[in-house]
Every structure is written in C-alpha cells, then in structure tokens.
C-alpha cells in the first residue's frame, strides 16, 4: 500500500498468506524468461513491499520450485548497484544479525577502517539487536566483535566504539 505522501509502505500482515507467497515465487521464477527491465521491476516490487515473514516463505518456495536460492537467481540475472542492493535486501531478510555482522567485519578487515559504516551500524543497532549481531559475528569469524574493534584501533574513538559494543563475548 501507499502511506502518507505516496511513499511505499511494506505490507506487514502477521499471517503469511500461502496463496500470495505462491503467486510471488511463481512471478519471480517466471520473470527470468522476460526482458531485463520487467524482471528487475518484479524483483524490486516484491522484495521492497512484502513483509519479512512473507518473503522468507517466498524464498523457501523459490528453492523448492527451482532448486536455486533466490540470491543465486539475482546474481545470475542482475548486475551493478542493483545486484548489490537486492542481495543486501535478501541477506537482511534471511538473517538480519548475520547481515550486520558481515557488514561490520568488512568495515574493519584489511588496511584501514570504514569508520562511517562501523559507527552507523553500532549506533543504529545498539539498542535493537547488537547482542545478536555480536553472537553472529563470533560464530562467523571465530573472534568477538569487541576484540576485533580493539585490535583495529586504539584511539579515543575506538574506546567509544568499544563502549557501544558492550563488552567481550
């Protein structure tokens, strides 16, 4: 539906309508046979307007129908910024803490730190699900988020980040 001033709002029914899920996964499956612009529009429309529970069901049904994960389909059919944007949406829907753990890791790995990404994620998730993100980070990278931040920098800024992180796991 549309909210105030015509902005798109995500359909958020707590019940996942099986018929609607079936329709959506079939539409996504059939879109790969169409021209690129139409296919992109269908993916964008479905991924940006359906509820997370609905989309998780669509992803499961898509695998059953095609034997491919929706991420693989997007990688095969899309490119550029659209590819990266849709993959980010899918990964966030599948497992939000894992998505943010990966983003945090990428912001600190290698030479230099992407301070903007690191700060934004820690600040925006600190009162929502940072404990879950910390758990996923440790599971994925076999090191705690706290120790990763601690080893990445040692200035006053990093002390603030460590406080936001909330402690060693």
């Amino acid at each position: 539906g549309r909210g105030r001033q015509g902005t798109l709002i995500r359909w958020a029914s707590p019940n996942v309508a099986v018929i609607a899920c079936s329709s959506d996964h079939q539409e996504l499956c059939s879109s790969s046979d169409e021209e690129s612009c139409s296919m992109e529009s269908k993916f964008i429309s479905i991924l940006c307007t359906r509820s997370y529970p609905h989309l998780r069901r669509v992803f499961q049904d898509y695998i059953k129908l095609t034997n491919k994960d929706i991420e693989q389909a997007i990688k095969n059919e899309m490119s550029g910024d659209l590819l990266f944007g849709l993959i980010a949406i899918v990964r966030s829907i599948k497992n939000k803490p894992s998505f943010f753990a990966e983003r945090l890791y990428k912001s600190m790995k290698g030479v230099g730190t992407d301070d903007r990404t690191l700060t934004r994620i820690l600040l925006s998730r600190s009162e929502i699900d940072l404990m879950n993100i910390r758990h996923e980070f440790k599971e994925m990278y076999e090191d705690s988020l706290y120790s990763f931040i601690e080893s990445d920098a040692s200035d006053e800024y990093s002390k603030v980040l460590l406080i936001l992180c909330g402690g060693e796991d």
Side-chain angles (χ1 to χ4, degrees):
R2 295 231 175 242
R4 183 179 291 160
Q5 298 176 341
T7 57
L8 212 56
I9 55 174
R10 195 175 282 280
W11 174 61
S13 169
N15 301 322
V16 178
V18 175
I19 295 171
C21 289
S22 178
S23 172
D24 282 348
H25 84 260
Q26 287 175 354
E27 191 168 340
L28 291 176
C29 289
S30 68
S31 69
S32 63
D33 298 333
E34 299 176 12
E35 62 183 68
S36 178
C37 187
S38 175
M39 175 189 58
E40 291 172 359
S41 295
K42 286 181 181 180
F43 270 82
I44 292 168
S45 174
I46 291 170
L47 291 176
C48 295
T49 61
R50 305 303 195 269
S51 71
Y52 285 9
H54 176 93
L55 288 168
R56 286 185 195 107
R57 176 69 184 261
V58 169
F59 298 164
Q60 291 170 349
D61 292 347
Y62 188 90
I63 290 171
K64 288 177 188 173
L65 191 64
T66 66
N67 290 324
K68 280 194 281 188
D69 185 74
I70 194 79
E71 279 188 57
Q72 190 59 48
I74 291 170
K75 288 176 183 175
N76 291 343
E77 302 292 335
M78 313 284 174
S79 63
D81 290 339
L82 180 62
L83 166 70
F84 296 120
L86 294 179
I87 292 294
I89 290 169
V90 168
R91 288 183 179 168
S92 174
I93 291 166
K94 285 180 173 180
N95 184 337
K96 195 173 294 290
S98 175
F99 169 77
F100 282 115
E102 180 182 10
R103 296 288 313 258
L104 286 166
Y105 176 79
K106 287 181 178 179
S107 76
M108 294 181 283
K109 78 172 189 168
V111 177
T113 299
D114 180 352
D115 291 324
R116 184 172 184 229
T117 298
L118 177 60
T119 304
R120 186 182 36 157
I121 293 171
L122 286 176
L123 282 172
S124 66
R125 309 311 296 183
S126 64
E127 294 186 10
I128 300 170
D129 58 357
L130 190 55
M131 290 297 290
N132 295 337
I133 294 167
R134 285 171 39 188
H135 174 76
E136 286 290 327
F137 192 95
K138 187 156 184 134
E139 289 288 315
M140 293 168 69
Y141 304 108
E142 299 178 358
D143 204 355
S144 73
L145 177 59
Y146 187 92
S147 63
F148 219 82
I149 294 169
E150 194 174 43
S151 69
D152 195 55
S154 59
D155 56 3
E156 294 300 313
Y157 164 73
S158 66
K159 290 177 185 173
V160 172
L161 294 177
L162 291 171
I163 291 169
L164 279 172
C165 180
E168 182 68 67
D169 293 316

